Amino acid sequence: MKYSHHIILIALLLSLSSCSWVHNMQINTLRSAQVNYKQPYPTVVIVNNCQADSLHESSKYIDENGRQYRLTSSTDSISQTMAMSLGTYMYHSQAFERIEIFTPDSNNITGIAGLDEQKVKQWQSQTHDDVHIAINAIIPIVNMQVTPIDGVFCTDLSIITQAYMQCFVPQEEMVNVAISDTLYWQAYGDTPDIANAYLPNFEKCLDEAINTLAYKASNYFAPHTRIVNRLIFVTGHPAMKDAFKYWDREQYTEASYIWEYVYKYAKDKGRRAKAAANLALYNEIEDNYSEALKYAQEASSIFIEIKEVEASQYIVNYITDLKSRIKEASILDSSIY
């Protein structure tokens, strides 16, 4: 059984009141890179500047008696896997003219100290507008522990990965980037050896951890899609139930007409707030982010006034994400990509 810290546990707010409920839905959103490349479709050179491919010294194995042993690995391809995976993910974003992977001569690799900016400027003078992304260190920390539980043994394996990187955009200041991620695996057996054997092959786990880290890094350096969770508020009021029927049939505009009427004319403040929250989502999927933010802020104000705590918490987080989308939309709408 494998767990990832990416997984977000969504509270569905099913107990807002006796006559209201929510419908959870997921939507794909396009998000911008965290780097402004100052040019459309740049060429990116990913520099493998790592000195070592080994597990961190704190990696350990704890047996069923609590004895600790240091874990080591003979793998020699961690940084190359990271560079190739990052390049592949960035290439598939279709935001770049070309992606190149470059490994300097071993005498010129500087590792976690980072690349010399003057050296990078020399490279850029020869290749004009190329962007350089240096991978200076990949640090995997592996922990494996066997625990006796009710006559059987449970083995937990976790791999924490950290990447220390630099991004050099021509005529811009260098940016330091740190990315981290964690993956978990778990297995059971009648003996410790059997429990350990039921885990996936360790090298495959390590490769998966590095690939996942590369994917997370690519979301920093390239535009990408992100699945987000949104809520549709429904109440026992006939108009709100009718609006949800339209929404469920993907007749979103028709649903929005009813919510707009409820928001303007309903006497019940909770109903008005829920209609406003739904109108925010409708405008978001129509890419009207400023209008969505307006309705979300109105919903938040009413929810706070009537002390709808769970709904208030949801809408505050929603407002934060909408503000991010407004900021990112200006980048995505520019000619950078």
Side-chain angles (χ1 to χ4, degrees):
M1 187 181 304
K2 182 183 75 176
Y3 300 95
S4 169
H5 82 289
H6 302 297
I7 299 174
I8 303 173
L9 299 178
I10 303 300
L12 294 181
L13 311 181
L14 294 176
S15 59
L16 287 176
S17 74
S18 60
C19 59
S20 66
W21 63 96
V22 294
H23 174 74
N24 185 66
M25 66 177 294
Q26 294 182 324
I27 61 175
N28 277 319
T29 60
L30 181 62
R31 318 308 286 242
S32 70
Q34 298 302 302
V35 177
N36 190 337
Y37 294 104
K38 304 295 184 181
Q39 56 178 308
Y41 302 102
T43 291
V44 171
V45 181
I46 298 174
V47 184
N48 181 357
N49 186 46
C50 295
Q51 288 179 321
D53 280 321
S54 59
L55 303 185
H56 190 265
E57 61 184 15
S58 64
S59 297
K60 61 183 178 291
Y61 174 78
I62 304 175
D63 70 14
E64 65 277 13
N65 297 311
R67 292 189 293 264
Q68 294 189 21
Y69 306 87
R70 181 176 173 181
L71 277 178
T72 59
S73 173
S74 60
T75 183
D76 60 357
S77 61
I78 291 174
S79 61
Q80 190 63 18
T81 298
M82 177 71 181
M84 294 299 296
S85 295
L86 176 60
T88 299
Y89 287 127
M90 291 181 66
Y91 173 79
H92 286 309
S93 73
Q94 300 182 334
F96 304 96
E97 178 70 26
R98 191 168 67 255
I99 302 289
E100 299 178 2
I101 309 296
F102 171 57
T103 301
D105 182 89
S106 59
N107 294 326
N108 295 319
I109 290 178
T110 54
I112 200 166
L115 289 178
D116 180 79
E117 292 193 51
Q118 294 303 315
K119 180 66 174 178
V120 176
K121 287 181 180 178
Q122 180 185 342
W123 291 343
Q124 290 173 336
S125 69
Q126 299 168 356
T127 55
H128 305 293
D129 297 325
D130 287 5
V131 173
H132 288 76
I133 296 173
I135 305 173
N136 297 321
I138 306 294
I139 302 176
I141 303 173
V142 179
N143 290 301
M144 190 172 178
Q145 181 168 3
V146 179
T147 305
I149 301 176
D150 296 331
V152 298
F153 295 88
C154 172
T155 299
D156 291 291
L157 172 64
S158 69
I159 302 181
I160 302 169
T161 49
Q162 300 168 325
Y164 296 93
M165 312 171 72
Q166 294 169 297
C167 182
F168 301 85
V169 177
Q171 286 78 55
E172 297 294 320
E173 290 188 8
M174 179 271 294
V175 177
N176 287 306
V177 180
I179 306 290
S180 63
D181 194 70
T182 306
L183 291 184
Y184 300 95
W185 294 262
Q186 191 177 74
Y188 293 86
D190 292 333
T191 68
D193 288 341
I194 293 175
N196 293 346
Y198 277 133
L199 287 171
N201 175 272
F202 175 72
E203 295 300 326
K204 290 183 178 179
C205 291
L206 187 57
D207 279 347
E208 182 176 355
I210 297 301
N211 272 284
T212 303
L213 182 69
Y215 176 75
K216 192 169 184 178
S218 74
N219 288 346
Y220 184 94
F221 293 111
H224 55 281
T225 57
R226 182 191 306 165
I227 296 176
V228 296
N229 289 275
R230 299 290 189 249
L231 299 179
I232 295 291
F233 290 85
V234 189
T235 77
H237 189 273
M240 294 293 283
K241 290 198 292 186
D242 286 344
F244 180 71
K245 289 177 183 177
Y246 281 119
W247 185 270
D248 203 34
R249 295 196 294 262
E250 299 184 3
Q251 295 176 273
Y252 303 135
T253 301
E254 289 80 358
S256 74
Y257 292 152
I258 300 176
W259 289 327
E260 192 169 345
Y261 182 87
V262 172
Y263 168 68
K264 287 181 177 179
Y265 299 110
K267 295 181 180 179
D268 183 275
K269 290 184 177 180
R271 194 179 307 141
R272 289 187 64 238
K274 289 162 188 170
N278 293 347
L279 284 168
L281 177 56
Y282 167 72
N283 279 280
E284 182 186 14
I285 67 172
E286 293 292 318
D287 297 331
N288 298 323
Y289 304 130
S290 296
E291 194 73 3
L293 179 60
K294 182 191 78 174
Y295 279 115
Q297 289 172 330
E298 181 61 23
S300 176
S301 177
I302 301 174
F303 280 139
I304 291 172
E305 179 186 350
I306 63 176
K307 297 180 173 59
E308 286 270 16
V309 178
E310 293 91 347
S312 297
Q313 291 173 341
Y314 161 75
I315 210 74
V316 166
N317 292 331
Y318 184 26
I319 287 171
T320 299
D321 195 41
L322 282 174
K323 288 179 177 178
S324 295
R325 295 206 67 187
I326 290 171
K327 182 179 178 181
E328 293 173 2
S330 63
I331 300 175
L332 292 167
D333 289 342
S334 71
S335 60
I336 300 303
Y337 301 118

